[in-house]
Amino acid sequence: MTSHDQLAKDLIQTFFSGFLRLAAPEAAARLRLDEAVFLDKQAFTDWPQGDRREMDLLAEVPAQETGARILIHIEIEAEARADMADRFWGYYMQLRLRHGLPIVPILMNLTGGQPGAHDELLVEGFEGLETARFRFRVFSLSGCRAEEYLASPEPIAWALAALMRRGKWSRAEHKIECLRRIAAADLSGSHRWLLGNWVETYIQLNDRETAEYARLCELTVNQEVKAMEMTWAERMEEKYKEKYTQKGLEKGFEQGKKQGVELGRLEGKLEGKLEGKLEGKLEGKLEGMRQILLQLLGRRFGAVPETVRRKVESMEESEPLTDLTNKVLDAQSIEELGLS
C-alpha cells in the first residue's frame, strides 16, 4: 500500500510548479519551473545517528534570467518536529558539498506547525555572538483554512485542502467540496485521479458520514463528483487486484470482494444508485483502510508489532478504522491508540 510519504511525493512531483507557487512564491517567480529535472535516489547520512536515507524530493531548476542551476529540496513530515531545523540544516550542508549549487530548502508538515507558508531561521552562536544562520521555507497544512485553498487557481491546493481546517463544514461536506473543485476542473484523467486519491485517502468517513456524503452526491450540483467517485472506486479495485495477484493472493481478493457486497458491483452497473454502491464500496474498502492504518502506524512509530498488526487486520467495521487513521498522526504512542 502506498504510504502517505509516497502519496505526497507523487502529488508534488506531478504538480511541482503549483506547489512552488504555494510554498515559495518568491523563488517560484525567479525560476523556469517547466524545465525542472528531478534527481533520483539522493542518499545521505542522517547525522548524528549515522543512518542512511534518501531525500524526499530534489529537483534541479534553471534560474529565470541567467539559467544558473538551482536545487529545490523538499522534505515531507507527517508531524512538525522541534528538532527538524537542525536536521534540515545538516541535509542542506551535505547537498551543498555534493552539488555545489544554491539550494531552496522547503519543509512540508502534514500536521502541526505554524499554518501556511513562511520563512524560518536557525541561528547558531555562543554568548550572544552569532556565528552562522540557516534560512528555510516551511509549509504547514493542518492549520490552514480549506476554503481559502479551494479558491486557489492551483489544482494541488484543492487536494492539500483535505488536510486543512474545514471550518463550518462537516467531514462529508469537506470531502464533497474538495472533490467538486477537482471534478469541475479541466484536468487530464491521471491528474484528476491523483488529486482525488489524496482526498479519498485523507478524508475517510464513518458510516454516518458516508450516508450524508451519499445524499450530497445525489444533488444535481455534485453529479461530476458522483461520476468521479465511481471512477476512483473502479481504479482502486484494479490496484488492489493487481497487488494481490502479484502476491499470489488472488483467491483472498475474490473472497474479500464478495464479502464487500461485491464491492458495490463495481465491475458493472455503473448506472446503479450511488448509495448502494457506496455501501458496497465501504465494505470492500475495509482491506484498503486496514493497510493505510498499518502504513501510518509504521511511519509514525516504526516497526508495527505482530499483535498490533493482527488486531488491525481483524477489524471488520469502518468506523474504528477511520477514527484510528484520523488519530494516528497526533498520538504519542501505539498504546495511546489502544492497540497494544
Side-chain angles (χ1 to χ4, degrees), residues 64-85:
Q64 189 72 256
E65 294 185 5
T66 65
R69 295 181 300 154
I70 310 296
L71 292 179
I72 309 295
H73 174 210
I74 302 168
E75 284 294 313
I76 302 150
E77 289 292 309
E79 182 180 19
R81 297 162 50 175
D83 66 341
M84 194 58 197

Side-chain angles (χ1 to χ4, degrees), residues 74-288:
I74 302 168
E75 284 294 313
I76 302 150
E77 289 292 309
E79 182 180 19
R81 297 162 50 175
D83 66 341
M84 194 58 197
D86 285 307
R87 292 180 59 196
F88 210 25
W89 194 359
Y91 304 164
Y92 176 93
M93 288 187 284
Q94 292 185 65
L95 275 175
R96 196 73 176 82
L97 286 170
R98 180 178 297 179
H99 295 277
L101 298 173
I103 304 164
V104 178
I106 302 172
L107 173 65
M108 184 171 82
N109 294 316
L110 302 189
T111 62
Q114 178 184 331
H118 58 278
D119 283 337
E120 288 197 7
L121 185 66
L122 179 64
V123 177
E124 188 174 77
F126 66 98
E127 296 186 357
L129 176 65
E130 180 180 315
T131 57
R133 57 174 54 197
F134 170 59
R135 186 184 302 275
F136 59 102
R137 292 291 289 178
V138 178
F139 186 23
S140 300
L141 303 182
S142 61
C144 299
R145 294 177 60 246
E147 190 173 7
E148 179 181 326
Y149 278 78
L150 287 173
S152 168
E154 302 295 347
I156 191 173
W158 315 334
L160 297 179
L163 282 168
M164 297 178 181
R165 288 192 295 115
R166 63 179 187 269
K168 63 182 180 181
W169 292 330
S170 67
R171 288 181 59 79
E173 289 170 332
H174 186 192
K175 181 174 181 177
I176 206 83
E177 291 292 337
C178 292
L179 292 179
R180 182 194 298 147
R181 190 73 166 93
I182 295 166
D186 183 16
L187 298 168
S188 68
S190 60
H191 284 184
R192 183 174 285 107
W193 151 256
L194 197 58
L195 296 168
N197 188 48
W198 179 278
V199 176
E200 295 279 1
T201 299
Y202 287 107
I203 308 183
Q204 294 192 20
L205 309 178
N206 60 31
D207 294 347
R208 178 183 56 79
E209 292 164 339
T210 297
E212 178 189 358
Y213 179 72
R215 290 192 296 271
L216 291 171
C217 282
E218 290 299 332
L219 299 177
T220 302
V221 70
N222 293 325
Q223 291 306 295
E224 289 178 313
V225 174
K226 179 178 176 178
M228 188 171 75
E229 182 79 27
M230 293 177 182
T231 301
W232 179 84
E234 290 172 332
R235 187 157 176 180
M236 286 305 293
E237 182 190 26
E238 291 173 1
K239 285 171 70 70
Y240 284 124
K241 187 170 183 178
E242 179 181 354
K243 174 181 172 129
Y244 290 133
T245 300
Q246 290 173 348
K247 291 186 175 183
L249 297 176
E250 180 69 18
K251 181 178 179 181
F253 171 84
E254 291 300 328
Q255 291 175 346
K257 187 171 69 174
K258 289 177 182 178
Q259 292 172 355
V261 196
E262 294 184 355
L263 202 56
R265 298 199 64 80
L266 290 171
E267 293 180 329
K269 296 186 179 180
L270 297 184
E271 71 279 12
K273 288 184 177 295
L274 179 67
E275 187 169 353
K277 182 180 289 292
L278 285 174
E279 290 176 1
K281 189 188 71 176
L282 179 64
E283 295 299 324
K285 280 174 60 181
L286 281 173
E287 177 62 20

Side-chain angles (χ1 to χ4, degrees), residues 3 31 37 46 48 58 71 112 155 167 181 190 250 256 269 301 314 333:
S3 69
L31 296 169
V37 175
D46 195 359
L58 185 66
L71 292 179
R181 190 73 166 93
S190 60
E250 180 69 18
K269 296 186 179 180
F301 304 113
S314 68
S333 67

